[in-house]
Amino acid sequence: HLLLFLLFVGPFNCFASYSRATELFYSLNEGLPAGVLIGSLARDLRLPTASGQHPASLQPPLSFTLASHGLGGQYVQLDNRSGELHTSAVEIDREALCVESSGATIFGGSAAVSSSSPSPESCLLLLDVLVLPQEYFRLVKVKIAIRDVNDNAPRFPVPHIRLSVPENAPVNTRLAIEHPALDPDMGTNGVQTYRLRDNYGVFTLDVEENESGERTPYLIVMGALDRETQDEYVTVIVAEDGGTPPLVGSATLTIGISDINDNCPQFNDSQLNVTLYGNSSLGTHVATVHAVDMDLGSNAQITYSYSQKVPQPSRDLFHLNESTGAITLSTKVDGDTPRLHRLIILGNGPGCIPAVITVLVTIIKVMMRPPEVVPRFIANEVEGVVYLKELEPINTPIAFFTIKDPDEKYKVSCYLDGDGPFRLSPYKPYNNEYLLETTKPLDFETQQLYEISVVAWNSEGFHVKKVIKVQVVDDNDNAPVFSEQLIELSIEENNVPNAFLTKLHATDADSGERGQVSYFLGPDAPSYFALDKTTGVLTVSTQLDREEKEKYRYTVKAVDSGFPPRESIATVTITVLDKNDNSPRFINKDFSFFVPENFPGFGEIGVISVTDADAGQNGWVALSVLNGSDIFVIDTGKGVLRAKVSLDREQQSSYILWIEAVDGGDPALSSTAKITILLLDINDNPPLVLFPQSNMSYLLVLPSTLPGSPITEVYAVDKDTGMNAVIAYSIIGRRGPRPESFRIDPKTGNITLEESLMQNDYGLYRLLVKVSDHGYPEPLHSTVMVNLFVNDTVSNESYIESLLRKEPDISVEEKQPQISIEPTHKKVESASCMPTLVALSIISLGSSALVTGMGIYICLRKGKKHHRAEENLEVQIPLNGRINLHMLEKKPMEISNI
């Protein structure tokens, strides 16, 4: 670092006299955000900025630089110009920086934090800062003390602390808790106190602090303990630091009370009286003594022994079991045996004075021997217990009993004592032989164990009893029984996979494996249902869709583990409840309706068909028009679309509507459909003549105009479409010197000159033009007057206008315009002159050629005049009244080759 420093600032002899080291101390709390001012090096070093001059304004300006960017440099930001030191975006955590309060090292510039800090609890961040240029050069050692804040709660290293206290621990016994709480904070912010949430009135806590400042909690016994009264105390130990506000941590503290041998054996009674018959056999049980010790383990071990006061003959006659305290007859009683025995028995415990009990045994002298009962078992018998299977048939034999008198002096009888389906009867032809048998089938589920006795007595009234236990052995005679034969379930559709449906429950009255029930699905159950064999939990592995299937019905079986197994069947019905998971669905996404224009208002345009696969309210659908609601309405229930007003194709030829269908679910779902309404044209508009614009306008036609030349045109349009807009032009009225001189094209409306104009053809021509469409069912038409003035010039306009103002006397021709047939000139009909030619031929067969030529000439002239007379007749038919040029009678006309 020093070498780099020398290279940076220049030759050593240039700055040695000015350089000096300085230390600055700052302190700040841990955990501060970025941008907090730590200190101003320029101000604290009393550099020229002390007089109010900014370091950057000096020439050359001051520069502050960290000598190196080590670990400490990431926590601060140094302004190179002003020398202000701020916290960086990396938060300072004192506990992470200074792991040990007395020796942590945090590398800053080129220095480190060490134990030489001002306080043992200090955590220093050391930085080396270089101040330049040369004339102000300093090496500043900045020490930043990180102050602790209470940002950590005490924490026990283990969640459960166990402590053992002997029950004889005296009051004020102190026991250290080996797992004290830890708190990374320092000083008063560290752990200060401990307390018990429940001290049971016998415990308290104390805290001891060692030389290093560590605090250890101690449990203090404040009262007498008795394990036999309470062997364990469970409480919560709470550690609290000294911060403001204080933070706490806790752990469970279990205080176990260890046993000491503070109890001795005790008998419940001090004396026990027992009677023993003199004819008792060896090993006969006489009595059992039992002492109790409240201690545990080896402290509670008890042994039994005779007191030394018991004479040896009594000890030899009666055997005492040291462990169990059982007394049995060990030698046979004879005539010399004493009739009263006092047995003093001691209950011995470790370190205890023995407990004492006295057993008085009185031996009754028997003058005769009792009857004997000798069983011979037919059924399976083990140690006096007879095992019979349930459902064994009636009269199942159990055992033979032989009843006899050992002295053969007395008559012996016997009977059966006890409840149960059993019978003891003499077995003939033998004497004193009896058969024990069942009277009805046994049922394990009703009763498992019977205890009966065969009692024999002699004529002297001496009784002997033979106790027999009959254990009924279970058989697999019961099938499992479901709690419900019909299990009705319901589940909402779109369930999560492996959803729980129910838990089946069946019981089996049999025992053991025969009563263990397993569950199975029937063969009619869909594969996506699962039934746990052991628990009976019924689940569905996939999502159910009500619209796909609403009800499921299948069987389940409960099978026991007997052999052969028995089973029962129940029926499961599952109703899938509807959820609003389907939007209304239109039959078509796009509907198109063709409606004739001028359709009456509120007439039915069409029906919008929509369905919703959901049920109930979720499937209710309401229709509405999203746009065009001022013109169109829709019947919500029936889906009938209507227009409020009559529609005119010429105003608008089509309408595009958006219909929304909203169901009744919550939340509601919706869908839209596009409706296109196309208006069909009807012939409700006559052609509109655009030219000529007026019946009063006229056009000058020069006499020199050649035949076939176009003169003018009639131009019209029709607002309708199709055939309703196909226009045909025709001249239905003419007036003028030679009006047939003009012709109109039925397709284009062009008016052309047919014949050459002569001197006598000068004047005003008025042509009544009919403009007709080809509409169905009835064509419509308009008329216009075309005025042509044949002359070289227009010398007197007022005269022409006066002629135009006069009502024209024009006859109307109702000729159908032939659009497809081009007009041709009519040929001279010579048929009219044929009679004359024949007559002349007969009269003057020998006439000269001159006479014949004159006759032909006359005939030709006559035919020409006849043709002209017919054409003039068509135009010059006078009208009986005035003509309304716009209200002529409309008649249908056939148009071919359109």
Side-chain angles (χ1 to χ4, degrees):
H1 289 292
L2 182 59
L3 178 59
L4 292 175
F5 173 73
L6 294 177
L7 293 175
F8 180 79
V9 301
F12 178 77
N13 56 3
C14 295
F15 68 89
S17 61
Y18 299 101
S19 63
R20 59 185 181 275
T22 307
E23 283 190 351
L24 291 178
F25 291 92
Y26 298 105
S27 63
L28 76 159
N29 291 340
E30 62 174 327
L32 293 178
V36 176
L37 179 64
I38 300 173
S40 175
L41 274 63
R43 183 187 65 238
D44 298 336
L45 293 173
R46 302 183 181 276
L47 295 176
T49 55
S51 61
Q53 189 177 8
H54 194 276
S57 63
L58 296 176
Q59 294 298 328
L62 287 177
S63 173
F64 299 87
T65 308
L66 288 174
S68 66
H69 296 279
L71 178 62
Q74 65 178 323
Y75 298 103
V76 297
Q77 286 184 339
L78 177 63
D79 190 309
N80 294 337
R81 294 300 182 187
S82 66
E84 290 185 347
L85 199 61
H86 295 83
T87 57
S88 70
V90 181
E91 183 179 293
I92 299 177
D93 184 0
R94 182 186 181 281
E95 289 73 34
L97 287 176
C98 301
V99 180
E100 299 179 3
S101 62
S102 62
T105 58
I106 305 300
F107 290 95
S110 58
V113 173
S114 67
S115 59
S116 61
S117 19
S119 169
E121 296 182 355
S122 295
C123 176
L124 296 182
L125 190 65
L126 303 183
L127 304 171
D128 287 348
V129 179
L130 299 177
V131 182
L132 299 174
Q134 177 178 337
E135 52 267 32
Y136 300 106
F137 169 75
R138 295 175 185 231
L139 174 62
V140 182
K141 291 187 174 293
V142 180
K143 295 183 179 181
I144 304 174
I146 309 302
R147 293 193 296 267
D148 183 46
V149 297
N150 191 26
D151 57 346
N152 292 279
R155 185 177 62 86
F156 286 91
V158 292
H160 196 130
I161 302 173
R162 186 169 185 87
L163 197 63
S164 179
V165 181
E167 62 177 328
N168 64 342
V171 176
N172 294 328
T173 297
R174 299 170 66 89
L175 299 169
I177 296 176
E178 297 180 355
H179 301 284
L182 305 176
D183 192 329
D185 296 325
M186 300 298 297
T188 57
N189 291 332
V191 178
Q192 299 296 315
T193 60
Y194 292 87
R195 67 175 186 273
L196 293 177
R197 191 165 293 174
D198 185 1
N199 58 19
Y200 295 96
V202 293
F203 299 105
T204 188
L205 288 178
D206 189 18
V207 179
E208 291 185 3
E209 185 174 355
N210 58 18
E211 296 179 355
S212 62
E214 294 179 353
R215 295 173 179 265
T216 302
Y218 281 81
L219 180 71
I220 302 178
V221 180
M222 300 297 295
L225 302 176
D226 185 6
R227 189 205 62 79
E228 288 73 33
T229 302
Q230 185 169 350
D231 61 353
E232 186 179 74
Y233 297 87
V234 180
T235 184
V236 175
I237 181 172
V238 179
E240 183 175 305
D241 63 21
T244 305
L247 302 178
V248 298
S250 62
T252 301
L253 177 61
T254 301
I255 306 170
I257 308 302
S258 58
D259 183 53
I260 63 170
N261 191 24
D262 58 345
N263 291 279
C264 290
Q266 291 183 352
F267 288 105
N268 293 330
D269 299 312
S270 60
Q271 183 171 311
L272 186 63
N273 297 320
V274 179
T275 300
L276 180 68
Y277 289 104
N279 60 350
S280 297
S281 59
L282 296 179
T284 300
H285 179 265
V286 178
T288 299
V289 295
H290 180 68
V292 177
D293 192 324
M294 298 300 293
D295 292 326
L296 291 176
S298 60
N299 294 330
Q301 289 182 355
I302 301 175
T303 59
Y304 302 93
S305 63
Y306 284 124
S307 171
Q308 293 184 359
K309 297 181 180 180
V310 178
Q312 190 63 39
S314 296
R315 295 180 182 222
D316 296 338
L317 183 63
F318 300 104
H319 175 263
L320 175 62
N321 189 303
E322 294 183 355
S323 299
T324 64
I327 304 172
T328 56
L329 185 65
S330 60
T331 59
K332 194 171 182 62
V333 178
D334 55 21
D336 298 331
T337 303
R339 297 291 177 255
L340 181 63
H341 297 266
R342 182 184 299 273
L343 305 177
I344 302 175
I345 299 175
L346 305 179
N348 305 294
C352 290
I353 298 175
V356 179
I357 187 173
T358 301
V359 180
L360 290 177
V361 181
T362 302
I363 299 178
I364 300 176
K365 184 177 180 181
V366 179
M367 300 302 296
M368 58 181 177
R369 290 185 292 176
E372 292 183 356
V373 179
V374 179
R376 289 170 292 167
F377 291 98
I378 302 172
N380 183 27
E381 181 267 340
V382 178
E383 296 181 356
V385 179
V386 177
Y387 294 90
L388 288 179
K389 287 186 177 182
E390 63 175 335
L391 302 182
E392 288 281 2
I394 300 175
N395 301 326
T396 296
I398 299 174
F400 278 112
F401 290 89
T402 301
I403 309 299
K404 62 181 179 180
D405 179 20
D407 299 327
E408 298 181 355
K409 296 180 181 180
Y410 307 99
K411 183 180 179 181
V412 179
S413 300
C414 72
Y415 66 92
L416 186 64
D417 185 23
D419 297 328
F422 306 102
R423 178 177 60 228
L424 183 65
S425 56
Y427 190 74
K428 295 181 179 181
Y430 304 102
N431 294 327
N432 298 331
E433 294 287 344
Y434 294 86
L435 176 65
L436 178 64
E437 58 186 355
T438 61
T439 58
K440 64 179 182 179
L442 302 178
D443 187 3
F444 176 86
E445 288 71 37
T446 302
Q447 186 170 346
Q448 292 86 35
L449 182 66
Y450 296 89
E451 187 171 318
I452 56 177
S453 301
V454 176
V455 180
W457 81 97
N458 59 18
S459 57
E460 296 298 322
F462 198 87
H463 291 75
V464 173
K465 180 183 293 186
K466 180 65 176 180
V467 178
I468 301 171
K469 293 182 179 180
V470 178
Q471 176 68 53
V472 181
V473 179
D474 188 28
D475 197 2
N476 192 30
D477 59 336
N478 291 278
V481 178
F482 280 100
S483 56
E484 295 177 298
Q485 287 299 312
L486 179 60
I487 304 165
E488 297 179 326
L489 307 173
S490 63
I491 183 174
E492 280 194 342
E493 62 176 332
N494 303 331
N495 54 282
V496 297
N498 300 316
F500 172 84
L501 292 175
T502 189
K503 183 176 182 180
L504 303 181
H505 181 66
T507 57
D508 193 315
D510 294 323
S511 64
E513 292 184 355
R514 292 171 291 273
Q516 293 179 359
V517 179
S518 301
Y519 301 91
F520 302 93
L521 290 172
D524 54 345
S527 60
Y528 39 84
F529 288 96
L531 180 59
D532 189 280
K533 176 182 177 181
T534 304
T535 64
V537 172
L538 181 63
T539 58
V540 56
S541 62
T542 186
Q543 283 190 347
L544 299 180
D545 186 357
R546 188 204 65 82
E547 289 72 37
E548 181 179 337
K549 190 171 183 180
E550 184 175 4
K551 287 188 177 295
Y552 295 86
R553 184 183 181 93
Y554 53 86
T555 57
V556 291
K557 294 192 301 182
V559 183
D560 63 22
S561 301
F563 183 80
R566 292 177 176 266
E567 66 180 38
S568 62
I569 297 176
T571 301
V572 176
T573 63
I574 300 174
T575 301
V576 183
L577 304 179
D578 185 52
K579 289 182 70 175
N580 192 28
D581 59 341
N582 289 278
S583 300
R585 183 184 297 275
F586 288 93
I587 299 300
N588 299 310
K589 280 298 182 182
D590 295 325
F591 291 84
S592 296
F593 297 107
F594 296 88
V595 182
E597 63 175 330
N598 301 331
F599 193 70
F602 291 98
E604 181 178 322
I605 295 175
V607 177
I608 311 299
S609 298
V610 62
T611 60
D612 193 313
D614 293 322
Q617 185 173 346
N618 294 332
W620 297 350
V621 179
L623 297 174
S624 61
V625 181
L626 295 180
N627 61 325
S629 58
D630 53 339
I631 300 177
F632 297 94
V633 294
I634 191 167
D635 188 330
T636 297
K638 298 180 179 179
V640 177
L641 181 64
R642 307 175 189 273
K644 299 179 183 178
V645 297
S646 180
L647 305 177
D648 186 0
R649 191 204 65 80
E650 284 71 40
Q651 291 184 2
Q652 186 170 341
S653 62
S654 64
Y655 296 86
I656 295 179
L657 305 179
W658 290 96
I659 303 296
E660 182 182 37
V662 181
D663 62 23
D666 184 20
L669 300 178
S670 63
S671 61
T672 57
K674 180 182 178 183
I675 312 297
T676 302
I677 301 174
L678 301 174
L679 296 184
L680 300 177
D681 184 49
I682 63 173
N683 195 25
D684 59 344
N685 291 279
L688 175 64
V689 178
L690 300 180
F691 184 82
Q693 298 179 353
S694 171
N695 289 332
M696 301 301 292
S697 62
Y698 66 94
L699 181 66
L700 175 64
V701 180
L702 298 176
S704 60
T705 302
L706 297 176
S709 299
I711 303 302
T712 184
E713 69 172 343
V714 176
Y715 179 69
V717 295
D718 196 313
K719 294 182 180 179
D720 296 322
T721 60
M723 294 299 297
N724 295 331
V726 175
I727 298 175
Y729 302 88
S730 63
I731 299 175
I732 62 172
R734 305 168 186 264
R735 184 177 177 81
R738 191 154 58 96
E740 69 275 7
S741 300
F742 298 96
R743 174 186 174 273
I744 190 167
D745 189 302
K747 292 182 179 179
T748 64
N750 291 332
I751 298 176
T752 57
L753 180 64
E754 288 292 294
E755 299 177 0
S756 300
L757 298 174
M758 304 299 181
Q759 185 67 31
N760 56 355
D761 293 336
Y762 284 40
L764 180 63
Y765 292 79
R766 307 197 76 179
L767 305 178
L768 181 59
V769 177
K770 179 180 180 181
V771 183
S772 176
D773 61 24
H774 292 74
Y776 180 84
E778 185 176 1
L780 302 178
H781 71 269
S782 300
T783 59
V784 66
M785 187 67 74
V786 178
N787 300 304
L788 302 176
F789 184 63
V790 179
N791 202 6
D792 293 326
T793 61
V794 179
S795 59
N796 191 347
E797 292 185 4
S798 59
Y799 170 71
I800 299 174
E801 291 176 357
S802 65
L803 294 177
L804 294 176
R805 283 193 293 271
K806 292 179 181 181
E807 188 69 31
D809 186 11
I810 301 176
S811 61
V812 177
E813 303 175 3
E814 277 299 335
K815 291 186 177 180
Q816 296 180 359
Q818 299 296 324
I819 297 178
S820 62
I821 302 175
E822 294 295 335
T824 57
H825 297 287
K826 292 184 179 180
K827 295 182 181 180
V828 177
E829 296 181 6
S830 59
S832 60
C833 65
M834 288 304 296
T836 305
L837 295 175
V838 173
L840 290 176
S841 300
I842 296 172
I843 296 171
S844 55
L845 291 174
S847 301
S848 62
L850 179 61
V851 175
T852 303
M854 288 298 293
I856 293 174
Y857 175 76
I858 293 171
C859 181
L860 292 174
R861 293 287 293 176
K862 184 178 179 180
K864 186 175 183 181
K865 289 180 180 180
H866 177 72
H867 170 67
R868 183 172 293 178
E870 286 182 353
E871 289 186 349
N872 289 340
L873 181 63
E874 292 177 359
V875 179
Q876 296 176 4
I877 297 176
L879 298 174
N880 294 329
R882 293 190 176 185
I883 299 174
N884 186 344
L885 300 179
H886 297 286
M887 295 298 292
L888 294 178
E889 182 182 2
K890 297 177 286 184
K891 294 183 179 179
M893 292 177 285
E894 294 181 1
I895 306 299
S896 62
N897 196 21
I898 301 302

